[in-house]
């Protein structure tokens, strides 16, 4: 009835465009709840049908209630979890497609919760981003990676560059770069061993801040990677204007393009364009030999994905490096 009423009301205001109204509904069960909380619950319900054609309304339900409870639990425990060392750094190898040797790795965060076990990043990273806590976590990852590289130097291990993510929130912390440089100095790490990964959407939304940071990083000797290329509104002008060193093709972009002849042509041209621009290119999410061969045949020499290895703990990664080195010496 509500939908029909709104549709009729809209007819009184003829516009040149079709306007679709959607509703999130929270049925009041407890009148003592603050009205702003009721509103938040209705807003959460309507988010569930965003972009779903034909669905005009959604009710707040138990699954959403559990989602809110988990969010509150995470928000209440995240600071203590960081202090207690519950966050772990995992590494996913970047492999040379011809030799399959490890030429780098991406650092990823995992949360070993004492009660819930290993939490998937999708469950807590969006909450960290919303609260701004993500910057503290990012700096924690940077420190763990610097500490690891310093230990590798002491143990005379082969050093390979490690990529660390920079989040949207990091750009607004004026001392973020200073804290990174303090870590580099503390552990005596060369900038060339650390790559900064910044997602494509952050580039498009924060170009001025990104340019300032990237230019500063470049001058200091860091390598900068554009992560998830193809996941948003990729712009060729963006490639022209932003001084980064590495382009990482998004996994979903790669999967969707490999389904058709036209898509394969697009991938082929993205690779050749990157090579012509002097950018290194890395393909994410490679899961089979066929994809690996296609990428290599079209000029992409480095990849990461489950075909080579899932993200592993630091001790596991070191074991894999040791095995590879032993194999090469035979």
């Amino acid at each position: 009835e509500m939908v029909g009423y709104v549709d009729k009301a809209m007819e009184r205001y003829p516009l040149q465009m079709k306007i679709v109204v959607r509703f999130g509904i929270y049925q009041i069960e407890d009148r003592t709840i603050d009205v702003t909380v009721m509103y938040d619950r209705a807003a959460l319900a309507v988010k569930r049908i965003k972009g779903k054609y034909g669905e005009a309304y959604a009710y707040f339900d138990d699954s959403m209630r559990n989602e809110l409870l988990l969010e509150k639990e995470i928000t209440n425990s995240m600071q203590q979890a960081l202090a207690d060392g519950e966050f772990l750094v995992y590494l996913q190898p970047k492999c040379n497609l011809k030799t399959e040797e490890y030429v780098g790795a991406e650092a990823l965060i995992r949360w070993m919760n004492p009660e819930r076990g290993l939490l998937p990043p999708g469950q807590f990273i969006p909450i960290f981003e919303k609260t701004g806590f993500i910057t503290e976590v990012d700096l924690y990852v940077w420190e763990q990676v610097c500490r690891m590289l310093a230990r590798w130097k002491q143990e005379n291990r082969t050093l390979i560059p490690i990529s660390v993510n920079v989040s949207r929130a990091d750009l607004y912390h004026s001392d973020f770069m200073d804290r990174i440089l303090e870590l580099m100095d503390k552990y005596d790490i060369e900038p060339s061993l650390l790559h900064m990964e910044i997602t494509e959407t952050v580039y498009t939304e924060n170009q001025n801040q990104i340019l300032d940071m990237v230019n500063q990083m470049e001058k200091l000797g860091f390598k900068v990677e554009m992560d998830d290329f193809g996941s948003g509104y990729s712009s060729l002008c963006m490639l022209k204007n932003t001084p980064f060193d590495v382009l990482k093709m998004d996994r979903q972009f790669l999967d969707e393009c490999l389904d058709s002849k036209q898509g394969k042509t697009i991938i082929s041209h993205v690779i050749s364009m990157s090579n012509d621009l002097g950018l290194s290119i890395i393909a994410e999410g490679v899961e089979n030999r066929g994809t690996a061969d296609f990428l290599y045949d079209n000029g992409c020499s480095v990849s990461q994905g489950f075909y080579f290895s899932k993200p592993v703990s630091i001790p596991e990664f070191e074991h894999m490096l040791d095995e590879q080195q032993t194999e090469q010496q035979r």
Side-chain angles (χ1 to χ4, degrees):
E1 288 179 10
M2 192 191 303
V3 176
Y5 172 78
V6 171
D7 284 343
K8 285 178 182 175
M10 295 298 291
E11 287 172 8
R12 296 202 297 267
Y13 303 94
L15 299 170
Q16 297 296 317
M17 63 192 79
K18 171 73 173 171
I19 294 179
V20 178
V21 180
R22 291 191 169 88
F23 299 90
I25 304 166
Y26 170 66
Q27 290 182 301
I28 299 170
E29 298 161 354
D30 181 356
R31 289 179 179 272
T32 63
I33 293 174
D34 192 282
V35 70
T36 58
V37 174
M38 295 179 184
Y39 169 80
D40 287 342
R41 292 180 176 184
L44 182 62
V46 81
K47 277 183 183 176
R48 288 287 178 91
I49 54 171
K50 185 179 179 181
K52 292 185 178 179
Y53 182 77
E55 293 191 39
Y57 61 90
Y59 285 91
F60 179 82
D61 59 23
D62 285 341
S63 69
M64 296 178 204
R65 190 187 310 277
N66 292 335
E67 195 176 305
L68 284 175
L69 287 171
L70 178 62
E71 180 172 335
K72 188 176 181 182
E73 184 185 319
I74 285 173
T75 304
N76 289 343
S77 64
M78 58 194 188
Q79 288 280 2
Q80 193 60 47
L82 184 61
D84 291 346
E86 292 177 18
F87 293 108
L88 307 172
V89 172
Y90 272 46
L91 298 172
Q92 185 167 31
K94 297 177 182 178
C95 295
N96 180 298
L97 283 168
K98 184 177 182 181
T99 63
E100 296 196 4
E101 70 176 308
Y102 305 129
V103 292
E106 178 182 359
L108 301 162
I109 190 76
R110 297 290 183 264
W111 185 353
M112 181 57 78
N113 185 287
E115 294 171 9
R116 295 178 176 269
L118 199 63
L119 295 178
Q123 209 168 63
F124 60 87
I125 292 294
I127 298 168
F128 289 179
E129 289 175 335
K130 191 159 76 172
T131 59
F133 182 64
I134 191 68
T135 298
E136 286 188 57
V137 174
D138 285 347
L139 286 166
Y140 171 82
V141 174
W142 277 91
E143 176 146 25
Q144 295 303 308
V145 168
C146 287
R147 182 179 291 167
M148 177 189 74
L149 287 169
R151 182 168 52 77
W152 285 4
K153 284 171 76 173
Q154 283 184 332
E155 295 170 356
N156 292 318
R157 287 178 172 273
T158 302
L159 299 176
I160 57 173
I162 307 296
S163 303
V164 188
N165 287 291
V166 174
S167 303
R168 184 180 284 102
D170 299 340
L171 301 174
Y172 300 105
H173 283 260
S174 56
D175 68 339
F176 181 76
M177 277 306 308
D178 291 336
R179 291 180 69 180
I180 295 292
L181 293 174
E182 284 171 13
L183 289 172
M184 309 283 291
D185 188 53
K186 177 180 176 181
Y187 292 100
D188 191 25
I189 302 299
E190 298 80 21
S192 58
L193 285 173
L194 289 165
H195 290 199
M196 301 187 77
E197 283 202 17
I198 307 174
T199 64
E200 179 200 289
T201 49
V202 175
Y203 274 108
T204 53
E205 292 170 12
N206 306 275
Q207 285 211 0
N208 290 333
Q209 291 97 326
I210 283 289
L211 282 171
D212 289 345
M213 180 181 274
V214 170
N215 284 324
Q216 191 181 352
M217 299 305 285
E218 293 277 354
K219 285 175 187 171
L220 292 166
F222 288 88
K223 297 288 184 186
V224 183
E225 301 182 1
M226 178 189 281
D227 195 17
D228 298 334
F229 181 78
S231 63
Y233 297 99
S234 305
S235 161
L236 299 183
C237 285
M238 184 170 63
L239 294 182
K240 176 177 74 74
N241 295 332
T242 313
F244 52 89
D245 307 282
V246 180
L247 196 68
K248 290 188 77 177
M249 277 192 293
D250 178 65
R251 170 185 180 165
Q252 191 173 348
F253 171 65
L254 188 62
D255 287 347
E256 289 174 0
C257 284
L258 290 176
D259 278 347
S260 67
K261 184 179 178 182
Q262 294 95 323
K264 287 181 177 177
T265 302
I266 290 169
I267 295 293
S268 175
H269 282 286
V270 167
I271 295 169
S272 60
M273 176 186 66
S274 300
N275 290 334
D276 289 346
L277 288 170
L279 297 173
S280 300
I281 187 156
I282 299 174
E284 295 183 279
V286 174
E287 296 189 354
N288 57 68
R289 181 76 247 175
T291 301
D293 287 342
F294 172 81
L295 290 165
Y296 181 74
D297 290 344
N298 282 275
C300 176
S301 59
V302 178
S303 178
Q304 67 183 78
F306 279 24
Y307 175 70
F308 303 102
S309 172
K310 66 180 190 302
V312 296
S313 67
I314 290 175
E316 286 179 86
F317 184 75
E318 289 173 346
H319 177 67
M320 290 159 64
L321 279 178
D322 290 343
E323 281 195 328
Q324 185 181 80
Q325 204 162 14
T326 303
E327 189 68 33
Q328 288 170 346
Q329 289 168 356
R330 285 176 182 165

